[in-house]
Amino acid sequence: VQIQELDNTVNWKDQYVRWLADYENLKKRTEKSLQAAQKRTISSLLENILPIYSSLSEGVSNGWIKDPGVVSIYKKFKSSLTAGCTITPIDKEFIKTNLYTEFDDNYMAAVSYVDTKSKAQHNKVFDVVVPGATDKDNEVLVYAKVIVCRYKDE
């Protein structure tokens, strides 16, 4: 009888450990699934917001938009996008500060090419058509659509 009780106790403990492991695995899968859903939601939202940001940015930087209220809204919009350094826009301003940035297909998608006679400018970003964004871990949320320079010997 004591051996049978001992066997039941060991079986019960073994089952408990297995259930606990299953529960922990479920928690991890659920957390991973929630994070993926959150990233998809943010990406979708950014795909709609970034073109507006790009237009405002270009208008303010080129002096086309002079209204102080609109400029103030643009500055607030930009600071809210990058608040807490969670999102880094890959836009014209980013490219200008890194003039003729090397094209990187990990962050950008080439939508067109511009021929250049300079070998130094080959495979460099010429312009940003639609901005992209990365998160704080440098993972792409939205790929920047860019025009790339292509060396053409004539």
Side-chain angles (χ1 to χ4, degrees):
V1 175
Q2 287 181 349
I3 293 174
Q4 190 176 15
E5 286 178 13
L6 187 60
D7 254 0
N8 287 341
T9 304
V10 169
N11 285 338
W12 180 82
K13 285 183 182 178
D14 185 51
Q15 275 190 323
Y16 174 76
V17 169
R18 288 174 193 238
W19 288 335
L20 189 60
D22 286 344
Y23 175 71
E24 290 299 321
N25 288 335
L26 177 65
K27 278 178 34 177
K28 288 177 186 175
R29 281 194 310 268
T30 303
E31 180 67 28
K32 197 173 188 179
S33 177
L34 287 172
Q35 287 175 350
Q38 184 180 27
K39 186 175 179 182
R40 283 191 308 271
T41 302
I42 290 170
S43 295
S44 176
L45 179 65
L46 285 174
E47 284 178 356
N48 293 312
I49 288 178
L50 286 174
I52 298 167
Y53 165 79
S54 179
S55 296
L56 281 171
S57 175
E58 190 171 356
V60 169
S61 65
N62 289 332
W64 301 331
I65 298 176
K66 297 178 182 172
D67 184 287
V70 175
V71 172
S72 175
I73 289 170
Y74 162 71
K75 288 178 181 176
K76 288 177 184 176
F77 186 34
K78 181 179 179 177
S79 68
S80 68
L81 254 184
T82 58
C85 297
T86 56
I87 297 173
T88 304
I90 302 171
D91 57 5
K92 292 181 187 207
E93 189 175 309
F94 174 83
I95 298 299
K96 282 181 187 173
T97 58
N98 303 293
L99 191 59
Y100 288 110
T101 302
E102 189 77 25
F103 173 73
D104 185 350
D105 61 357
N106 293 314
Y107 302 101
M108 305 168 190
V111 294
S112 183
Y113 291 95
V114 171
D115 293 332
T116 180
K117 294 180 182 179
S118 168
K119 285 184 180 181
Q121 291 180 350
H122 178 69
N123 209 36
K124 305 282 184 181
V125 174
F126 177 75
D127 196 9
V128 178
V129 178
V130 178
T134 59
D135 66 8
K136 64 181 175 191
D137 299 322
N138 215 25
E139 287 188 36
V140 175
L141 296 171
V142 178
Y143 287 92
K145 292 176 179 61
V146 298
I147 299 172
V148 180
C149 294
R150 178 173 53 186
Y151 174 69
K152 190 169 187 178
D153 190 20
E154 291 186 72

